[in-house]
Amino acid sequence: MKKDRTLYVCQECGYSSYKWFGRCPSCGTWNSMVEEKEKALLKSLKELYRPLSLWTAEELERLSTGFDQLDHALGGGIVKGQVILIAGEPGIGKSTLLLQLADRYSKAYGKVLYVSGEESGSQIALRGKRLGIAGEELFVLPETNLEQILEALEELNPSMLVVDSIQTIHSSQLESAPGSVSQVRECAYRLAQTCKGKNIPLFLVGQVTKEGAVAGPKVLEHLVDTVLYFEGERFSFYRVLKVVKNRFGASGEMAVFKMGDSGLEEVPEPSALFLQERVGSAGSVVFPHAEGSRPVLLEVQALTIDAVYTTPQRRSQGYDINRLALILAVLEKEAKVFTRDKDVFVNVVGGMQIVEPAGDLAVALAIYSSVKNKVLGDVLVFGEVGLGGEVRAVHFPELRLKEGKRFGFNKAIVPRGCAIEEPQMETYRVSHIMEAIELLL
């Protein structure tokens, strides 16, 4: 008979090894490796795994956050036990949004625990007074010790937990400083496991780096169910909340808010917001942006002027500068639109970011419109541009056209390869960038 082997399992994070360690290689906890028999572990595993056909899909109960647009972006609301990470630059409005959300949620579902590691209770009370929040069922805990937070969670048993921010929380079981990789990973893991066991939704606020990514270990984004990015110019009224990851719905969705005297207010029609001050001059093109299932009409602006210096400038706001260089090269080779002696500036109005390649054709025609000083008018443009000048198909063409139709657009330049069964308007299909330019001529 084969002799049972001994495993050493970390009691904090579950890391297992055949060799004993004084400090867990995974979570860094000292003296957490406990001896267990491999046979017992295998037996417990056999009781857990089963064929997919024997698993039953549970119907998820959706809970409203109090913001209709945010509920729509999350797939209909939040789910019990869902762990949501919200990240954004300092001063963008994360704490304001979560305080409003916690107040509305407490009125509908009961007690909410708001843990603040960066502000005192009086500071939060001052913000609540400015926002008109009474907070009868909203409990504030200014604390950074993880064990104290978990103890308060057991005593209060709230319907939601908000932690602002996870980088300030530390565990007394670890010797590293708050905000370190081991502290952030350990605290987030234990909070997530506790809230999932109690079916309590958990909101974690994450700080961002200078590059705009979530600070701390990358495992933090893999640990949570949903990742939200709060974007916008600090000195602008408008904020965009993007769903980057969502295990309970589609990613790429967004919700738009307006910062007012009484806090953040929802913007039900983002397309109308971004087009409300459009003049329609040369270099202006309307692009139906559709990263998620809800398209938003954006204005793409281009400006070209004679270069003053030997090396012309290329600047972009809301569009990848490397992608812009490719578009300029294709315009010069395939369409004979020369910009080597001109400064080129591209801007996406409203502080939005265009990441999807479907915006290539809109940027190209905006640059052409500015170079030739020709107004395009009210026409939708979308399509990916290849290095050979070909215009490639993109996803959700009918949804893009439908959104444009709602706002009075009757013409669109679309890739020839897009399968459109029911055109919402007069569409001009192109397969090469020169065909699109000839339409404008």
Side-chain angles (χ1 to χ4, degrees):
M1 175 180 282
K2 185 177 180 180
K3 185 178 179 180
D4 294 341
R5 301 184 66 179
T6 299
L7 277 176
Y8 295 92
V9 182
C10 176
Q11 301 304 297
E12 295 295 331
C13 67
Y15 175 84
S16 61
S17 172
Y18 292 112
K19 180 182 177 181
W20 182 83
F21 294 96
R23 184 178 184 182
C24 175
S26 177
C27 65
T29 306
W30 287 96
N31 301 322
S32 62
M33 306 295 288
V34 177
E35 180 180 349
E36 295 184 11
K37 294 295 183 181
E38 184 181 18
K39 182 176 181 180
L41 291 176
L42 293 176
K43 182 178 179 181
S44 62
L45 284 176
K46 289 182 179 180
E47 296 174 355
L48 292 176
Y49 63 74
R50 65 185 71 170
L52 179 62
S53 58
L54 297 182
W55 288 94
T56 57
E58 298 181 2
E59 292 293 333
L60 300 176
E61 179 186 357
R62 297 285 183 172
L63 307 175
S64 175
T65 61
F67 293 96
D68 295 336
Q69 300 300 316
L70 180 56
D71 289 342
H72 181 272
L74 291 172
I78 60 178
V79 178
K80 291 183 178 180
Q82 185 174 359
V83 181
I84 302 173
L85 173 66
I86 177 171
E89 295 180 358
I92 203 69
K94 302 185 298 298
S95 300
T96 300
L97 174 64
L98 288 179
L99 191 62
Q100 290 181 260
L101 188 151
D103 177 62
R104 298 185 183 189
Y105 194 90
S106 65
K107 294 177 180 179
Y109 303 104
K111 295 177 290 187
V112 172
L113 179 59
Y114 188 102
V115 178
S116 175
E118 299 179 348
E119 297 177 294
S120 64
S122 58
Q123 288 176 307
I124 298 176
L126 183 62
R127 180 188 295 119
K129 182 179 180 180
R130 175 173 60 85
L131 299 176
I133 295 176
E136 298 294 335
E137 293 292 313
L138 177 56
F139 294 82
V140 178
L141 174 63
E143 182 60 61
T144 59
N145 184 267
L146 176 64
E147 284 70 28
Q148 293 288 339
I149 296 173
L150 293 177
E151 183 178 347
L153 190 63
E154 290 289 341
E155 293 180 359
L156 188 62
N157 193 26
S159 61
M160 175 188 285
L161 174 63
V162 178
V163 178
D164 184 10
S165 67
I166 188 60
Q167 274 83 5
T168 62
I169 309 301
H170 71 280
S171 172
S172 57
Q173 298 180 4
L174 299 181
E175 297 181 357
S176 56
S180 62
V181 171
S182 57
Q183 285 283 6
V184 172
R185 180 171 53 188
E186 175 70 9
C187 293
Y189 176 80
R190 291 179 61 181
L191 285 171
Q193 292 302 311
T194 302
C195 288
K196 284 183 177 294
K198 294 178 173 292
N199 285 328
I200 298 175
L202 169 62
F203 277 87
L204 299 174
V205 176
Q207 300 172 0
V208 298
T209 62
K210 291 186 292 185
E211 292 76 19
V214 179
K218 196 65 177 177
V219 71
L220 190 61
E221 295 188 34
H222 299 291
L223 176 68
V224 301
D225 300 312
T226 305
V227 179
L228 307 177
Y229 274 90
F230 211 29
E231 301 176 348
E233 299 294 334
R234 185 183 300 182
F235 302 104
S236 173
F237 294 112
Y238 301 104
R239 304 288 188 269
V240 178
L241 189 65
K242 288 187 177 180
V243 181
V244 180
K245 169 189 174 183
N246 192 4
R247 289 175 179 165
F248 300 103
S251 61
E253 303 288 350
M254 69 173 65
V256 181
F257 296 88
K258 179 181 179 181
M259 180 67 79
D261 296 334
S262 58
L264 288 163
E265 303 173 1
E266 293 179 286
V267 178
E269 291 290 353
S271 297
L273 165 67
F274 295 123
L275 297 180
Q276 63 181 355
E277 298 181 37
R278 178 173 178 260
V279 178
S281 58
S284 174
V285 175
V286 177
F287 165 64
H289 179 62
E291 282 190 20
S293 61
R294 182 182 180 183
V296 177
L297 301 184
L298 302 178
E299 181 184 1
V300 178
Q301 295 178 330
L303 174 64
T304 59
I305 58 176
D306 293 335
V308 178
Y309 302 102
T310 305
T311 303
Q313 298 186 69
R314 273 81 174 103
R315 297 287 185 268
S316 65
Q317 182 70 34
Y319 190 75
D320 184 23
I321 189 67
N322 297 318
R323 196 78 183 175
L324 174 60
L326 296 178
I327 297 299
L328 293 176
V330 172
L331 280 174
E332 180 169 331
K333 184 177 186 298
E334 300 294 334
K336 308 306 178 185
V337 178
F338 297 95
T339 56
R340 63 180 65 181
D341 60 342
K342 298 181 182 298
D343 294 334
V344 179
F345 305 93
V346 173
N347 176 48
V348 181
V349 176
M352 291 290 292
Q353 297 281 335
I354 296 180
V355 181
E356 58 170 340
D360 292 350
L361 188 58
V363 172
L365 294 186
I367 295 172
Y368 170 82
S369 172
S370 178
V371 171
K372 301 298 183 181
N373 196 27
K374 182 178 179 62
V375 180
L376 269 66
D378 293 334
V379 56
L380 294 182
V381 179
F382 60 88
E384 179 183 356
V385 177
L387 292 182
E390 70 277 10
V391 179
R392 300 174 179 269
V394 297
H395 62 288
F396 300 141
E398 291 187 348
L399 289 178
R400 299 176 196 265
L401 297 178
K402 184 177 180 181
E403 181 71 8
K405 186 67 175 179
R406 289 180 57 233
F407 287 89
F409 288 86
N410 296 314
K411 297 180 181 180
I413 300 177
V414 304
R416 190 179 300 276
C418 283
I420 305 175
E421 297 181 359
E422 298 180 3
Q424 304 292 325
M425 61 185 70
E426 185 179 357
T427 58
Y428 301 93
R429 297 172 177 265
V430 297
S431 58
H432 195 271
I433 192 171
M434 269 306 299
E435 295 182 23
I437 290 177
E438 288 173 357
L439 286 174
L440 302 179
L441 293 176

